[in-house]
Amino acid sequence: FRVRSFVNPKEPDTKNVSGVVQDLNYVTTLGKRIKDAGGRFMLDFHYSDTWADPSHQELPSAWKDCTTSAQKAERVYTYTKEQLQHLVAAGATPDFVQVGNEISYGMVGISVKPYEHSGDDWAGLLDVLAKGCKAVREVCPQAKIIIHTERSGKPDDTEFYYKKLQDLDYDIIGLSYYPFYHGVLQNLRTTLTRLYSVFPGKDVHIVETAYPIQWWPEDATIDTRSTWPVKEGSCDGQYKYTTDLIGLLKDFKNVKGLMW
């Protein structure tokens, strides 16, 4: 079970439709239910008060005093450690921990590009990631650490990014794959083949995927409906997408997880 975590959700009202409600109390309660039921618990730190994704990696409002990458790294370390200590004490120890969510272009206000770019602060990002990973190792030494990006349709970008992390202490490459953003399955196959060749010691999880039954995404950049139809009243296209995706993933022994 993959559970997101926000620092101070902007909309903590559980009746709010946006779903930005996962504060520490929420995550602790749900995490304990997962563990008590015998499930495995993946904790996804967004390090933000709201959704963190390639276009939005906003510094939490309570962290505005962190103006340098070094200060942000120390705050990430302290926050991660304290959150995990709380979860462990409550009987909700995570089995997997994501240090950041879809961080292809950076996190906590630190900007990079998954290709050569003159304005990047890779040193700052790597410091932040290293401190987050350090906290996980100290508090949850059995947990597997995931670094999560969303360039699964761009094998060159994905390889470039994880090569930058070659000295980082983490376990799993986490990818988002949405065909209406990242393209046909062949794109994903090429990326997975590249990852297996270049990073043979790293497992891979598809930590996010989905396909619609009827509501086609307004911001979709690639139309895959000829391959996987989207038709009101039928889940055939969604079923075929899921079957095709799982069939592809089974070809890769380094792929160990799929999250819907």
Side-chain angles (χ1 to χ4, degrees):
F1 297 84
R2 179 171 179 260
V3 181
R4 68 182 70 91
S5 174
F6 302 114
V7 178
N8 290 303
K10 293 182 178 179
E11 299 158 350
D13 181 358
T14 56
K15 297 178 182 180
N16 192 288
V17 296
S18 74
V20 186
V21 299
Q22 290 83 0
D23 60 10
L24 181 58
N25 288 335
Y26 185 112
V27 171
T28 302
T29 302
L30 182 53
K32 189 173 188 307
R33 285 181 62 196
I34 292 166
K35 299 295 289 190
D36 288 349
R40 288 190 292 174
F41 173 24
M42 179 184 292
L43 177 62
D44 174 11
F45 281 118
H46 280 236
Y47 297 110
S48 178
D49 294 334
T50 188
W51 301 107
D53 57 40
S55 301
H56 307 93
Q57 292 286 343
E58 299 177 12
L59 196 66
S61 58
W63 298 10
K64 294 301 184 183
D65 58 321
C66 298
T67 57
T68 68
S69 57
Q71 290 171 332
K72 293 173 182 178
E74 289 303 320
R75 188 63 59 86
V76 164
Y77 172 75
T78 302
Y79 169 80
T80 304
K81 189 169 184 175
E82 290 175 350
Q83 297 278 302
L84 292 175
Q85 287 172 332
H86 179 92
L87 290 169
V88 170
T93 303
D95 301 284
F96 304 88
V97 179
Q98 271 189 226
V99 179
N101 187 79
E102 291 191 335
I103 58 172
S104 311
Y105 291 84
M107 61 185 284
V108 293
I110 296 173
S111 179
V112 300
K113 300 289 191 297
Y115 44 80
E116 291 294 347
H117 186 266
S118 60
D120 291 344
D121 183 10
W122 279 104
L125 178 62
L126 288 168
D127 190 21
V128 165
L129 292 175
K131 292 293 175 57
C133 292
K134 181 174 184 286
V136 179
R137 294 291 191 225
E138 290 176 353
V139 183
C140 300
Q142 302 303 315
K144 300 295 185 182
I145 298 173
I146 301 171
I147 303 298
H148 173 208
T149 61
E150 49 62 64
R151 298 283 82 196
S152 58
K154 303 283 187 180
D156 290 343
D157 289 2
T158 302
E159 178 182 347
F160 178 92
Y161 189 96
Y162 287 100
K163 277 185 173 178
K164 290 287 189 179
L165 275 53
Q166 60 185 353
D167 295 326
L168 185 69
D169 177 21
Y170 75 102
D171 304 295
I172 296 168
I173 292 172
L175 303 175
S176 292
Y177 173 67
Y178 297 98
F180 37 84
Y181 300 137
H182 302 124
V184 296
L185 281 175
Q186 183 57 45
N187 291 8
L188 179 61
R189 179 179 292 278
T190 301
T191 298
L192 293 175
T193 300
R194 187 84 64 86
L195 291 174
Y196 182 68
S197 174
V198 179
F199 310 102
K202 297 294 184 187
D203 287 345
V204 176
H205 286 194
I206 306 300
V207 296
E208 290 187 27
T209 194
Y211 200 76
I213 293 176
Q214 58 178 317
W215 304 116
W216 186 248
E218 293 181 358
D219 60 346
T221 56
I222 300 166
D223 193 341
T224 57
R225 285 174 287 186
S226 62
T227 303
W228 304 298
V230 175
K231 183 179 179 182
E232 185 174 357
S234 172
C235 61
D236 291 350
Q238 188 184 69
Y239 178 83
K240 186 175 187 302
Y241 165 71
T242 309
T243 303
D244 290 348
L245 174 63
I246 291 172
L248 182 150
L249 297 181
K250 287 169 68 176
D251 290 342
F252 294 90
K253 62 182 181 181
N254 58 324
V255 176
K256 302 292 179 64
L258 171 62
M259 302 287 167
W260 182 272

